[in-house]
Amino acid sequence: MNVLMMLVSLGLPAMALAQAGIVEWVDIDCAQSRIGPTDGLRCRATDKLTKDALSTGEGLYRFWSASGSIEQTKYYYYVAEALSAEATLVAKQDLPDAVRGRSPQGRGSANMSDVRQRQDAAVVSFESAAKESCIGIRKTGPGNGQSVKWILYATRCVPPGQPVTDGDIAAFVRQARIRE
């Protein structure tokens, strides 16, 4: 995960960008992750970060990821979470650009669809650089109209030649969640 790209996509100030080198991701037990489901995936997280590292103001933030393959299907999840009332998160990037910038399968992708709404998520379909059939989603947590508590991005890719069905999309959107 390119931390600098993630910071730019969240619209963080130049001072935070200059300090991006101090952000460290560590492997964690997936049972401790806020991302669900994570069985069979590799989970990572940052420590709690304050305004000194990543914020656009006062507050605490944390970032989570989960990735891996299960039965030849590749999954990637990424969450930015505001941990305090003063912390603010705003999704400023359109979903296709966010997928290209965050998901390993989104880099070099082609045939990105228009964004559509499915249940509680914005959804795009695309073809990875490896010709996999993929979907990308964004869900946002509760908010006040100007910012949200968390933003979840996720991608799911199947091997080349396999279709992604409406049932696959519905199940992926339903299953991708934040554990409370």
Side-chain angles (χ1 to χ4, degrees), residues 11-180:
L12 298 176
M15 188 165 120
L17 296 176
Q19 297 173 357
I22 65 170
V23 176
E24 291 188 34
W25 288 83
V26 295
D27 290 334
I28 61 168
D29 178 346
C30 285
Q32 297 173 343
S33 177
R34 296 269 287 135
I35 300 170
T38 54
D39 293 342
L41 301 178
R42 176 184 182 209
C43 296
R44 303 190 70 178
T46 65
D47 198 0
K48 293 178 183 177
L49 304 167
T50 66
K51 68 176 182 165
D52 297 328
L54 296 176
S55 73
T56 57
E58 296 291 326
L60 292 174
Y61 301 83
R62 192 163 194 187
F63 301 91
W64 307 85
S65 71
S67 60
S69 295
I70 301 171
E71 297 178 8
Q72 297 185 329
T73 299
K74 293 179 183 174
Y75 293 91
Y76 178 78
Y77 298 87
Y78 170 84
V79 171
E81 180 180 26
L83 299 175
S84 63
E86 303 85 19
T88 60
L89 291 172
V90 178
K92 294 183 177 183
Q93 203 172 28
D94 68 9
L95 182 56
D97 288 340
V99 166
R100 287 182 189 105
R102 284 181 184 80
S103 171
Q105 288 73 37
R107 293 183 193 105
S109 61
N111 303 320
M112 191 75 67
S113 73
D114 289 334
V115 178
R116 58 195 184 281
Q117 195 66 30
R118 185 77 178 251
Q119 299 160 15
D120 61 342
V123 179
V124 293
S125 59
F126 63 96
E127 184 179 278
S128 73
K131 306 294 183 202
E132 300 155 316
S133 298
C134 304
I135 54 174
I137 66 171
R138 175 175 46 215
K139 290 184 174 185
T140 56
N144 62 13
Q146 295 178 13
S147 68
V148 294
K149 182 175 170 140
W150 51 261
I151 302 171
L152 170 118
Y153 294 93
T155 56
R156 177 186 184 276
C157 298
V158 297
Q162 290 186 13
V164 175
T165 67
D166 282 341
D168 293 335
I169 296 168
F172 184 56
V173 168
R174 188 175 48 256
Q175 292 167 356
R177 68 186 187 288
I178 299 295
R179 293 179 181 148
E180 297 300 327

